[in-house]
Amino acid sequence: MCGIVGYIGKKQAAPVLLDGLSKLEYRGYDSAGVAVLNPAGGIDIVKAKGRLKVLSDAIDGGKKLKGTCGIGHTRWATHGEPSENNAHPHCNDEKTIVAVHNGIIENYAELKAKLIRRGYGFYSQTDTEVATKLVDYYYKKYNDPLQAISQFALRVRGSYALAVMYKDFPETVFAIRKDSPMIIGVEKGESFLASDVPAILKYTKNVYYVDNLQIAKLEIGGVKFYNLDRDEVKNELVEITWDAEAAEKGGYEHFMLKEIHEQPRVITDTFNYVYKNGEIDFSEVGLSDGILKYVKGIVIVGCGSAYHAGMVMQYVTEDLARVPVRVELASEYRYRNPVTNGELVIVISQSGETADSLAALRSAKEKGLKTLAIVNVLGSSIAREADFVFYTKAGPEISVATTKAYSAQLVAGYLLAIKLASVRGTITQDYCKTLLDELCSLPEKVAALLENKHLIQKFASETMDKKDVFFVGRGTDYAACIEGSLKLKEISYIHSEAYAAGELKHGTISLIENGTLVFGVLTQPDLIEKTVSNLVETQSRGALTAAIATEGVKLPDVGFEKVFSIPHTDVHFTTSLAAIPMQLFAYYLSVLRGNDVDKPRNLAKSVTVE
Ligand code: F6R
């Protein structure tokens, strides 16, 4: 969702900015632009609607813009249609101040009215132009670039990552953030600014995570940080442990396919994060056995796939640890007034920046509840604000549709459930060991499934014209279905629904027509017969049915069009295996239909606005 980059150093800025923006393309965008301070002391701004290539062609890969200090942006429209005019950077009338912005300025209408009263005119419909002109207003008033930005921050409501250049300070980029991600990299006198690490990884692994309401001043030779009172403050330099290759396609046609194939490694790494000397050790997470033993209940919140991982965690945790667990959409939790009883609130998020999940976390903290984040991105807002953090070890996830981060979240959830069960004495030590051994063998089972991907590819080519696809299951299979269905609809654009199998006949079965494809996920031995009966009901209405089932388990012979087998594992972990054919099915359908797999329409990787 929007991408910001900035550079100040000895290189020509424009090519570095374009390169950084290309690494942020995965976040979703509809237009792009760059601004560079030129050697004559002016600011050149070039913007283009559509793909980054249009912008790159307009400035000959950056060669046409001279200057070593610049900012760039990919925009995902919120205020005003996608157009060159609305694209960032935005500037003041004299073109002496220029800015790029992520997020939403909630009181922009009120600020715009105030600026109009002070004689300002507006050329775009964006809140960013308002932000830029507000900085201009305060700069003219105080004649101090830092004070202009701190006054801006005091006046504005909403979320933002803002980067500003002033013509009067030709070798400097200023930046501030609130609830919108921003990192700064440094290397041998050069300074880089970006919304996310992959944008600058080629140049440096030394990164600062900018705190909320911290102002950064990037110059040749280094970065300084200030609070809103303009006192200099310290920030910790962090070394990124993964390399640029981790954020490249590595020979795969799409990031999604690469990330699907990374799942065995991701499961192992996430498991090893807390598996020490034959047992689960949460010391890095910070959660003591005491908290886990006496916690009265658990509330899990997240959005999209993270919420779906939470659903699986609910089934598994209640079954193993006998703790009451509730799972809620973060966007609902944040505006509810739930009755609380000392629960542990778990926020699941790949990016750690999802606005609704961050707000849910804050609302839980305000209620005095302890919070645990299951997060992938190091140093992200949710990770920093939660009391405890379990870092999933998925590495950078670039494809908008999540696969490997979801798999890592599932494993984190299983480990937490086993740990809870073990400290509360609801499972025997023997069963605990069996579960851990089983988790250890999950990666090779996922790898085995991936080897048979051609079977899914073939089925996708046979069903690519389907208009509706349903997924049904019970228990964790239902939770798996919801994720499978989301994956399919978000990248193939085929209408899809997931239903708890028993619920279908309470209305939705009326949608089943001749040829509708219905997948049944059948991995829970006690529930197979029930779900198969529901599938037969859809067959009677003309549906074509397919099953995802554990190998070796005899299914009633009801005439499935296809049965995709998954290796045997403990019943609590089958979602990790059932997810693979569903991810591949969505992927191949998207490819076959000629869609932009990694950047599906209307979607953004990190949803930092409500
Ligand atoms: C779907 C997908 C989204 C995210 C959701 C939450 O493939 O990726 O549904 O799961 O937007 O994002 P995070 O996990 O970053 O909070």
Side-chain angles (χ1 to χ4, degrees), residues 302-308 348-355 357 374 382 397 399-403 405 409 483 486-487 490-491 603-607:
C303 302
S305 300
Y307 168 74
H308 300 159
I348 307 181
S349 175
Q350 186 286 128
S351 62
E353 301 292 349
T354 302
S357 306
I374 297 180
I382 292 174
E397 190 176 65
S399 173
V400 165
T402 181
T403 51
Q409 289 161 355
E483 174 58 10
L486 173 65
K487 216 76 316 168
E490 71 179 324
I491 60 169
L603 290 179
K605 180 68 184 160
S606 171
V607 186

PDB file of all heavy atoms in Angstrom, residues 302-308 348-355 357 374 382 397 399-403 405 409 483 486-487 490-491 603-607, ligand 1:
ATOM      1  N   GLY A 302      -6.879 -10.686  14.079  1.00  0.00           N
ATOM      2  CA  GLY A 302      -6.079 -10.549  12.861  1.00  0.00           C
ATOM      3  C   GLY A 302      -7.007 -10.208  11.715  1.00  0.00           C
ATOM      4  O   GLY A 302      -8.235 -10.135  11.881  1.00  0.00           O
ATOM      5  N   CYS A 303      -6.434  -9.995  10.546  1.00  0.00           N
ATOM      6  CA  CYS A 303      -7.231  -9.698   9.348  1.00  0.00           C
ATOM      7  C   CYS A 303      -6.893 -10.721   8.271  1.00  0.00           C
ATOM      8  O   CYS A 303      -5.751 -11.198   8.209  1.00  0.00           O
ATOM      9  CB  CYS A 303      -6.879  -8.322   8.790  1.00  0.00           C
ATOM     10  SG  CYS A 303      -7.113  -6.999   9.948  1.00  0.00           S
ATOM     11  N   GLY A 304      -7.848 -10.999   7.404  1.00  0.00           N
ATOM     12  CA  GLY A 304      -7.595 -11.858   6.241  1.00  0.00           C
ATOM     13  C   GLY A 304      -6.984 -13.184   6.646  1.00  0.00           C
ATOM     14  O   GLY A 304      -7.443 -13.884   7.558  1.00  0.00           O
ATOM     15  N   SER A 305      -5.887 -13.523   5.983  1.00  0.00           N
ATOM     16  CA  SER A 305      -5.270 -14.828   6.211  1.00  0.00           C
ATOM     17  C   SER A 305      -4.771 -14.979   7.639  1.00  0.00           C
ATOM     18  O   SER A 305      -4.754 -16.090   8.183  1.00  0.00           O
ATOM     19  CB  SER A 305      -4.099 -15.031   5.245  1.00  0.00           C
ATOM     20  OG  SER A 305      -4.581 -14.967   3.932  1.00  0.00           O
ATOM     21  N   ALA A 306      -4.340 -13.883   8.245  1.00  0.00           N
ATOM     22  CA  ALA A 306      -3.859 -13.961   9.630  1.00  0.00           C
ATOM     23  C   ALA A 306      -5.019 -14.379  10.539  1.00  0.00           C
ATOM     24  O   ALA A 306      -4.856 -15.174  11.468  1.00  0.00           O
ATOM     25  CB  ALA A 306      -3.294 -12.609  10.053  1.00  0.00           C
ATOM     26  N   TYR A 307      -6.204 -13.857  10.237  1.00  0.00           N
ATOM     27  CA  TYR A 307      -7.405 -14.258  10.990  1.00  0.00           C
ATOM     28  C   TYR A 307      -7.687 -15.755  10.764  1.00  0.00           C
ATOM     29  O   TYR A 307      -8.040 -16.489  11.690  1.00  0.00           O
ATOM     30  CB  TYR A 307      -8.573 -13.373  10.535  1.00  0.00           C
ATOM     31  CG  TYR A 307      -9.933 -13.824  10.978  1.00  0.00           C
ATOM     32  CD1 TYR A 307     -10.350 -13.662  12.295  1.00  0.00           C
ATOM     33  CD2 TYR A 307     -10.810 -14.428  10.074  1.00  0.00           C
ATOM     34  CE1 TYR A 307     -11.613 -14.078  12.702  1.00  0.00           C
ATOM     35  CE2 TYR A 307     -12.062 -14.846  10.463  1.00  0.00           C
ATOM     36  CZ  TYR A 307     -12.471 -14.673  11.783  1.00  0.00           C
ATOM     37  OH  TYR A 307     -13.710 -15.089  12.179  1.00  0.00           O
ATOM     38  N   HIS A 308      -7.475 -16.182   9.528  1.00  0.00           N
ATOM     39  CA  HIS A 308      -7.723 -17.605   9.231  1.00  0.00           C
ATOM     40  C   HIS A 308      -6.740 -18.514   9.980  1.00  0.00           C
ATOM     41  O   HIS A 308      -7.100 -19.598  10.432  1.00  0.00           O
ATOM     42  CB  HIS A 308      -7.616 -17.869   7.718  1.00  0.00           C
ATOM     43  CG  HIS A 308      -8.597 -17.059   6.936  1.00  0.00           C
ATOM     44  ND1 HIS A 308      -8.437 -16.779   5.598  1.00  0.00           N
ATOM     45  CD2 HIS A 308      -9.748 -16.445   7.316  1.00  0.00           C
ATOM     46  CE1 HIS A 308      -9.448 -16.034   5.192  1.00  0.00           C
ATOM     47  NE2 HIS A 308     -10.253 -15.826   6.212  1.00  0.00           N
ATOM     48  N   ILE A 348      -2.193 -11.495  15.295  1.00  0.00           N
ATOM     49  CA  ILE A 348      -1.400 -12.167  14.255  1.00  0.00           C
ATOM     50  C   ILE A 348      -1.301 -11.230  13.055  1.00  0.00           C
ATOM     51  O   ILE A 348      -2.314 -10.692  12.588  1.00  0.00           O
ATOM     52  CB  ILE A 348      -2.059 -13.499  13.822  1.00  0.00           C
ATOM     53  CG1 ILE A 348      -2.346 -14.377  15.056  1.00  0.00           C
ATOM     54  CG2 ILE A 348      -1.169 -14.244  12.840  1.00  0.00           C
ATOM     55  CD1 ILE A 348      -2.969 -15.733  14.723  1.00  0.00           C
ATOM     56  N   SER A 349      -0.088 -11.037  12.564  1.00  0.00           N
ATOM     57  CA  SER A 349       0.080 -10.151  11.402  1.00  0.00           C
ATOM     58  C   SER A 349       1.411 -10.443  10.721  1.00  0.00           C
ATOM     59  O   SER A 349       2.444 -10.517  11.383  1.00  0.00           O
ATOM     60  CB  SER A 349       0.043  -8.692  11.853  1.00  0.00           C
ATOM     61  OG  SER A 349       0.324  -7.835  10.766  1.00  0.00           O
ATOM     62  N   GLN A 350       1.392 -10.600   9.412  1.00  0.00           N
ATOM     63  CA  GLN A 350       2.632 -10.759   8.663  1.00  0.00           C
ATOM     64  C   GLN A 350       3.402  -9.449   8.697  1.00  0.00           C
ATOM     65  O   GLN A 350       4.545  -9.396   9.135  1.00  0.00           O
ATOM     66  CB  GLN A 350       2.306 -11.162   7.214  1.00  0.00           C
ATOM     67  CG  GLN A 350       3.493 -11.509   6.332  1.00  0.00           C
ATOM     68  CD  GLN A 350       4.317 -10.305   5.868  1.00  0.00           C
ATOM     69  OE1 GLN A 350       5.550 -10.285   6.031  1.00  0.00           O
ATOM     70  NE2 GLN A 350       3.683  -9.302   5.321  1.00  0.00           N
ATOM     71  N   SER A 351       2.764  -8.387   8.257  1.00  0.00           N
ATOM     72  CA  SER A 351       3.465  -7.102   8.096  1.00  0.00           C
ATOM     73  C   SER A 351       3.748  -6.422   9.426  1.00  0.00           C
ATOM     74  O   SER A 351       4.697  -5.653   9.552  1.00  0.00           O
ATOM     75  CB  SER A 351       2.620  -6.164   7.243  1.00  0.00           C
ATOM     76  OG  SER A 351       1.383  -5.907   7.910  1.00  0.00           O
ATOM     77  N   GLY A 352       2.884  -6.675  10.405  1.00  0.00           N
ATOM     78  CA  GLY A 352       3.012  -5.947  11.671  1.00  0.00           C
ATOM     79  C   GLY A 352       2.588  -4.503  11.552  1.00  0.00           C
ATOM     80  O   GLY A 352       2.815  -3.697  12.460  1.00  0.00           O
ATOM     81  N   GLU A 353       1.964  -4.137  10.423  1.00  0.00           N
ATOM     82  CA  GLU A 353       1.569  -2.742  10.217  1.00  0.00           C
ATOM     83  C   GLU A 353       0.096  -2.598   9.884  1.00  0.00           C
ATOM     84  O   GLU A 353      -0.367  -1.476   9.660  1.00  0.00           O
ATOM     85  CB  GLU A 353       2.381  -2.116   9.063  1.00  0.00           C
ATOM     86  CG  GLU A 353       3.881  -2.117   9.261  1.00  0.00           C
ATOM     87  CD  GLU A 353       4.358  -1.197  10.392  1.00  0.00           C
ATOM     88  OE1 GLU A 353       3.555  -0.396  10.910  1.00  0.00           O
ATOM     89  OE2 GLU A 353       5.538  -1.314  10.767  1.00  0.00           O
ATOM     90  N   THR A 354      -0.650  -3.683   9.802  1.00  0.00           N
ATOM     91  CA  THR A 354      -2.053  -3.598   9.409  1.00  0.00           C
ATOM     92  C   THR A 354      -2.806  -2.690  10.392  1.00  0.00           C
ATOM     93  O   THR A 354      -2.803  -2.925  11.604  1.00  0.00           O
ATOM     94  CB  THR A 354      -2.667  -5.009   9.375  1.00  0.00           C
ATOM     95  OG1 THR A 354      -1.892  -5.778   8.453  1.00  0.00           O
ATOM     96  CG2 THR A 354      -4.111  -5.002   8.937  1.00  0.00           C
ATOM     97  N   ALA A 355      -3.441  -1.665   9.835  1.00  0.00           N
ATOM     98  CA  ALA A 355      -4.026  -0.615  10.692  1.00  0.00           C
ATOM     99  C   ALA A 355      -5.029  -1.195  11.688  1.00  0.00           C
ATOM    100  O   ALA A 355      -5.007  -0.849  12.877  1.00  0.00           O
ATOM    101  CB  ALA A 355      -4.686   0.443   9.820  1.00  0.00           C
ATOM    102  N   SER A 357      -5.303  -4.246  12.861  1.00  0.00           N
ATOM    103  CA  SER A 357      -4.672  -5.128  13.853  1.00  0.00           C
ATOM    104  C   SER A 357      -3.909  -4.305  14.885  1.00  0.00           C
ATOM    105  O   SER A 357      -3.936  -4.607  16.078  1.00  0.00           O
ATOM    106  CB  SER A 357      -3.730  -6.119  13.160  1.00  0.00           C
ATOM    107  OG  SER A 357      -4.436  -6.805  12.157  1.00  0.00           O
ATOM    108  N   ILE A 374       2.154 -12.235  17.018  1.00  0.00           N
ATOM    109  CA  ILE A 374       2.788 -13.239  16.148  1.00  0.00           C
ATOM    110  C   ILE A 374       3.011 -12.506  14.835  1.00  0.00           C
ATOM    111  O   ILE A 374       2.064 -12.258  14.071  1.00  0.00           O
ATOM    112  CB  ILE A 374       1.897 -14.487  15.984  1.00  0.00           C
ATOM    113  CG1 ILE A 374       1.710 -15.171  17.340  1.00  0.00           C
ATOM    114  CG2 ILE A 374       2.506 -15.452  14.972  1.00  0.00           C
ATOM    115  CD1 ILE A 374       0.844 -16.419  17.316  1.00  0.00           C
ATOM    116  N   ILE A 382       3.448  -3.414  15.288  1.00  0.00           N
ATOM    117  CA  ILE A 382       2.772  -4.367  16.180  1.00  0.00           C
ATOM    118  C   ILE A 382       3.808  -5.089  17.043  1.00  0.00           C
ATOM    119  O   ILE A 382       3.617  -5.273  18.243  1.00  0.00           O
ATOM    120  CB  ILE A 382       1.892  -5.342  15.364  1.00  0.00           C
ATOM    121  CG1 ILE A 382       0.710  -4.570  14.756  1.00  0.00           C
ATOM    122  CG2 ILE A 382       1.393  -6.504  16.224  1.00  0.00           C
ATOM    123  CD1 ILE A 382      -0.171  -5.348  13.815  1.00  0.00           C
ATOM    124  N   GLU A 397       8.139 -11.474   2.572  1.00  0.00           N
ATOM    125  CA  GLU A 397       7.074 -11.998   1.704  1.00  0.00           C
ATOM    126  C   GLU A 397       6.673 -10.878   0.754  1.00  0.00           C
ATOM    127  O   GLU A 397       6.240  -9.817   1.184  1.00  0.00           O
ATOM    128  CB  GLU A 397       5.879 -12.480   2.532  1.00  0.00           C
ATOM    129  CG  GLU A 397       4.879 -13.234   1.674  1.00  0.00           C
ATOM    130  CD  GLU A 397       3.732 -13.815   2.496  1.00  0.00           C
ATOM    131  OE1 GLU A 397       2.960 -13.024   3.071  1.00  0.00           O
ATOM    132  OE2 GLU A 397       3.610 -15.041   2.552  1.00  0.00           O
ATOM    133  N   SER A 399       4.917 -11.435  -2.555  1.00  0.00           N
ATOM    134  CA  SER A 399       3.629 -11.620  -3.234  1.00  0.00           C
ATOM    135  C   SER A 399       2.508 -11.111  -2.331  1.00  0.00           C
ATOM    136  O   SER A 399       2.512 -11.340  -1.120  1.00  0.00           O
ATOM    137  CB  SER A 399       3.433 -13.109  -3.510  1.00  0.00           C
ATOM    138  OG  SER A 399       2.138 -13.314  -4.021  1.00  0.00           O
ATOM    139  N   VAL A 400       1.566 -10.401  -2.932  1.00  0.00           N
ATOM    140  CA  VAL A 400       0.471  -9.839  -2.133  1.00  0.00           C
ATOM    141  C   VAL A 400      -0.312 -10.962  -1.432  1.00  0.00           C
ATOM    142  O   VAL A 400      -0.646 -10.857  -0.257  1.00  0.00           O
ATOM    143  CB  VAL A 400      -0.457  -8.970  -3.019  1.00  0.00           C
ATOM    144  CG1 VAL A 400      -1.772  -8.675  -2.319  1.00  0.00           C
ATOM    145  CG2 VAL A 400       0.241  -7.656  -3.350  1.00  0.00           C
ATOM    146  N   ALA A 401      -0.573 -12.033  -2.166  1.00  0.00           N
ATOM    147  CA  ALA A 401      -1.296 -13.155  -1.544  1.00  0.00           C
ATOM    148  C   ALA A 401      -0.326 -13.907  -0.647  1.00  0.00           C
ATOM    149  O   ALA A 401       0.693 -14.429  -1.098  1.00  0.00           O
ATOM    150  CB  ALA A 401      -1.841 -14.081  -2.618  1.00  0.00           C
ATOM    151  N   THR A 402      -0.638 -13.986   0.615  1.00  0.00           N
ATOM    152  CA  THR A 402       0.287 -14.629   1.539  1.00  0.00           C
ATOM    153  C   THR A 402       0.227 -16.152   1.410  1.00  0.00           C
ATOM    154  O   THR A 402      -0.837 -16.731   1.198  1.00  0.00           O
ATOM    155  CB  THR A 402      -0.014 -14.220   2.995  1.00  0.00           C
ATOM    156  OG1 THR A 402       0.940 -14.850   3.846  1.00  0.00           O
ATOM    157  CG2 THR A 402      -1.407 -14.633   3.438  1.00  0.00           C
ATOM    158  N   THR A 403       1.365 -16.782   1.535  1.00  0.00           N
ATOM    159  CA  THR A 403       1.418 -18.250   1.569  1.00  0.00           C
ATOM    160  C   THR A 403       2.359 -18.671   2.691  1.00  0.00           C
ATOM    161  O   THR A 403       1.947 -19.247   3.687  1.00  0.00           O
ATOM    162  CB  THR A 403       1.913 -18.833   0.223  1.00  0.00           C
ATOM    163  OG1 THR A 403       3.135 -18.177  -0.161  1.00  0.00           O
ATOM    164  CG2 THR A 403       0.875 -18.682  -0.867  1.00  0.00           C
ATOM    165  N   ALA A 405       3.981 -16.881   4.933  1.00  0.00           N
ATOM    166  CA  ALA A 405       3.784 -16.242   6.243  1.00  0.00           C
ATOM    167  C   ALA A 405       2.609 -16.911   6.954  1.00  0.00           C
ATOM    168  O   ALA A 405       2.647 -17.133   8.170  1.00  0.00           O
ATOM    169  CB  ALA A 405       3.547 -14.750   6.084  1.00  0.00           C
ATOM    170  N   GLN A 409       2.617 -18.750  10.493  1.00  0.00           N
ATOM    171  CA  GLN A 409       1.678 -18.394  11.575  1.00  0.00           C
ATOM    172  C   GLN A 409       1.017 -19.650  12.147  1.00  0.00           C
ATOM    173  O   GLN A 409       0.821 -19.781  13.358  1.00  0.00           O
ATOM    174  CB  GLN A 409       0.593 -17.442  11.038  1.00  0.00           C
ATOM    175  CG  GLN A 409       1.112 -16.044  10.735  1.00  0.00           C
ATOM    176  CD  GLN A 409       0.202 -15.255   9.810  1.00  0.00           C
ATOM    177  OE1 GLN A 409      -0.800 -15.763   9.303  1.00  0.00           O
ATOM    178  NE2 GLN A 409       0.553 -14.002   9.560  1.00  0.00           N
ATOM    179  N   GLU A 483      -9.328 -20.106   4.104  1.00  0.00           N
ATOM    180  CA  GLU A 483      -8.084 -19.581   3.540  1.00  0.00           C
ATOM    181  C   GLU A 483      -7.961 -19.987   2.058  1.00  0.00           C
ATOM    182  O   GLU A 483      -7.589 -19.171   1.221  1.00  0.00           O
ATOM    183  CB  GLU A 483      -6.889 -20.089   4.368  1.00  0.00           C
ATOM    184  CG  GLU A 483      -5.529 -19.745   3.835  1.00  0.00           C
ATOM    185  CD  GLU A 483      -5.264 -18.255   3.669  1.00  0.00           C
ATOM    186  OE1 GLU A 483      -6.070 -17.424   4.146  1.00  0.00           O
ATOM    187  OE2 GLU A 483      -4.271 -17.914   3.012  1.00  0.00           O
ATOM    188  N   LEU A 486     -10.178 -17.741   0.023  1.00  0.00           N
ATOM    189  CA  LEU A 486      -9.644 -16.372  -0.106  1.00  0.00           C
ATOM    190  C   LEU A 486      -8.518 -16.349  -1.134  1.00  0.00           C
ATOM    191  O   LEU A 486      -8.449 -15.470  -1.993  1.00  0.00           O
ATOM    192  CB  LEU A 486      -9.130 -15.868   1.249  1.00  0.00           C
ATOM    193  CG  LEU A 486      -8.404 -14.516   1.197  1.00  0.00           C
ATOM    194  CD1 LEU A 486      -9.352 -13.390   0.791  1.00  0.00           C
ATOM    195  CD2 LEU A 486      -7.771 -14.169   2.539  1.00  0.00           C
ATOM    196  N   LYS A 487      -7.634 -17.355  -1.039  1.00  0.00           N
ATOM    197  CA  LYS A 487      -6.500 -17.415  -1.963  1.00  0.00           C
ATOM    198  C   LYS A 487      -7.014 -17.427  -3.397  1.00  0.00           C
ATOM    199  O   LYS A 487      -6.538 -16.701  -4.250  1.00  0.00           O
ATOM    200  CB  LYS A 487      -5.710 -18.694  -1.668  1.00  0.00           C
ATOM    201  CG  LYS A 487      -4.249 -18.685  -1.775  1.00  0.00           C
ATOM    202  CD  LYS A 487      -3.464 -18.029  -0.685  1.00  0.00           C
ATOM    203  CE  LYS A 487      -3.964 -16.709  -0.198  1.00  0.00           C
ATOM    204  NZ  LYS A 487      -3.405 -16.189   1.000  1.00  0.00           N
ATOM    205  N   GLU A 490      -8.817 -14.021  -4.466  1.00  0.00           N
ATOM    206  CA  GLU A 490      -8.016 -12.793  -4.550  1.00  0.00           C
ATOM    207  C   GLU A 490      -7.076 -12.770  -5.742  1.00  0.00           C
ATOM    208  O   GLU A 490      -6.773 -11.704  -6.259  1.00  0.00           O
ATOM    209  CB  GLU A 490      -7.261 -12.512  -3.248  1.00  0.00           C
ATOM    210  CG  GLU A 490      -6.121 -13.436  -2.944  1.00  0.00           C
ATOM    211  CD  GLU A 490      -5.389 -13.080  -1.643  1.00  0.00           C
ATOM    212  OE1 GLU A 490      -5.253 -11.891  -1.329  1.00  0.00           O
ATOM    213  OE2 GLU A 490      -4.949 -14.013  -0.947  1.00  0.00           O
ATOM    214  N   ILE A 491      -6.632 -13.951  -6.207  1.00  0.00           N
ATOM    215  CA  ILE A 491      -5.697 -13.878  -7.348  1.00  0.00           C
ATOM    216  C   ILE A 491      -6.272 -14.407  -8.662  1.00  0.00           C
ATOM    217  O   ILE A 491      -5.784 -14.061  -9.721  1.00  0.00           O
ATOM    218  CB  ILE A 491      -4.341 -14.559  -7.053  1.00  0.00           C
ATOM    219  CG1 ILE A 491      -4.511 -16.042  -6.725  1.00  0.00           C
ATOM    220  CG2 ILE A 491      -3.598 -13.851  -5.947  1.00  0.00           C
ATOM    221  CD1 ILE A 491      -3.174 -16.776  -6.697  1.00  0.00           C
ATOM    222  N   LEU A 603      -5.620  -4.699  -4.678  1.00  0.00           N
ATOM    223  CA  LEU A 603      -5.095  -5.164  -3.387  1.00  0.00           C
ATOM    224  C   LEU A 603      -3.737  -4.563  -3.081  1.00  0.00           C
ATOM    225  O   LEU A 603      -2.997  -4.191  -3.977  1.00  0.00           O
ATOM    226  CB  LEU A 603      -4.952  -6.693  -3.392  1.00  0.00           C
ATOM    227  CG  LEU A 603      -6.255  -7.472  -3.385  1.00  0.00           C
ATOM    228  CD1 LEU A 603      -5.973  -8.951  -3.412  1.00  0.00           C
ATOM    229  CD2 LEU A 603      -7.074  -7.125  -2.158  1.00  0.00           C
ATOM    230  N   ALA A 604      -3.443  -4.500  -1.793  1.00  0.00           N
ATOM    231  CA  ALA A 604      -2.142  -4.007  -1.357  1.00  0.00           C
ATOM    232  C   ALA A 604      -1.570  -5.007  -0.366  1.00  0.00           C
ATOM    233  O   ALA A 604      -2.316  -5.703   0.320  1.00  0.00           O
ATOM    234  CB  ALA A 604      -2.301  -2.653  -0.693  1.00  0.00           C
ATOM    235  N   LYS A 605      -0.267  -5.073  -0.289  1.00  0.00           N
ATOM    236  CA  LYS A 605       0.357  -6.059   0.588  1.00  0.00           C
ATOM    237  C   LYS A 605       0.173  -5.704   2.057  1.00  0.00           C
ATOM    238  O   LYS A 605      -0.085  -6.558   2.878  1.00  0.00           O
ATOM    239  CB  LYS A 605       1.849  -6.156   0.257  1.00  0.00           C
ATOM    240  CG  LYS A 605       2.622  -7.167   1.104  1.00  0.00           C
ATOM    241  CD  LYS A 605       2.193  -8.589   0.796  1.00  0.00           C
ATOM    242  CE  LYS A 605       2.849  -9.632   1.662  1.00  0.00           C
ATOM    243  NZ  LYS A 605       2.102 -10.887   1.674  1.00  0.00           N
ATOM    244  N   SER A 606       0.319  -4.438   2.343  1.00  0.00           N
ATOM    245  CA  SER A 606       0.268  -4.066   3.746  1.00  0.00           C
ATOM    246  C   SER A 606      -0.824  -3.004   3.891  1.00  0.00           C
ATOM    247  O   SER A 606      -0.704  -1.911   3.329  1.00  0.00           O
ATOM    248  CB  SER A 606       1.648  -3.535   4.108  1.00  0.00           C
ATOM    249  OG  SER A 606       1.642  -2.972   5.362  1.00  0.00           O
ATOM    250  N   VAL A 607      -1.900  -3.362   4.586  1.00  0.00           N
ATOM    251  CA  VAL A 607      -3.075  -2.475   4.600  1.00  0.00           C
ATOM    252  C   VAL A 607      -2.966  -1.531   5.802  1.00  0.00           C
ATOM    253  O   VAL A 607      -3.487  -1.803   6.876  1.00  0.00           O
ATOM    254  CB  VAL A 607      -4.382  -3.286   4.609  1.00  0.00           C
ATOM    255  CG1 VAL A 607      -5.584  -2.374   4.469  1.00  0.00           C
ATOM    256  CG2 VAL A 607      -4.372  -4.294   3.472  1.00  0.00           C
TER     257      VAL A 607
HETATM  258  C1  F6R B   1      -4.351 -12.596   1.795  1.00  0.00           C
HETATM  259  C2  F6R B   1      -3.585 -11.647   2.582  1.00  0.00           C
HETATM  260  C3  F6R B   1      -4.321 -10.744   3.497  1.00  0.00           C
HETATM  261  C4  F6R B   1      -3.510 -10.506   4.781  1.00  0.00           C
HETATM  262  C5  F6R B   1      -4.201  -9.431   5.621  1.00  0.00           C
HETATM  263  C6  F6R B   1      -3.460  -9.190   6.922  1.00  0.00           C
HETATM  264  O1  F6R B   1      -3.539 -13.371   0.985  1.00  0.00           O
HETATM  265  O2  F6R B   1      -2.394 -11.579   2.475  1.00  0.00           O
HETATM  266  O3  F6R B   1      -5.592 -11.221   3.791  1.00  0.00           O
HETATM  267  O4  F6R B   1      -3.415 -11.709   5.469  1.00  0.00           O
HETATM  268  O5  F6R B   1      -4.257  -8.229   4.900  1.00  0.00           O
HETATM  269  O6  F6R B   1      -2.164  -8.735   6.700  1.00  0.00           O
HETATM  270  P1  F6R B   1      -1.068  -8.839   7.819  1.00  0.00           P
HETATM  271  O7  F6R B   1      -0.822 -10.277   8.087  1.00  0.00           O
HETATM  272  O8  F6R B   1       0.129  -8.142   7.243  1.00  0.00           O
HETATM  273  O9  F6R B   1      -1.623  -8.142   9.030  1.00  0.00           O
END
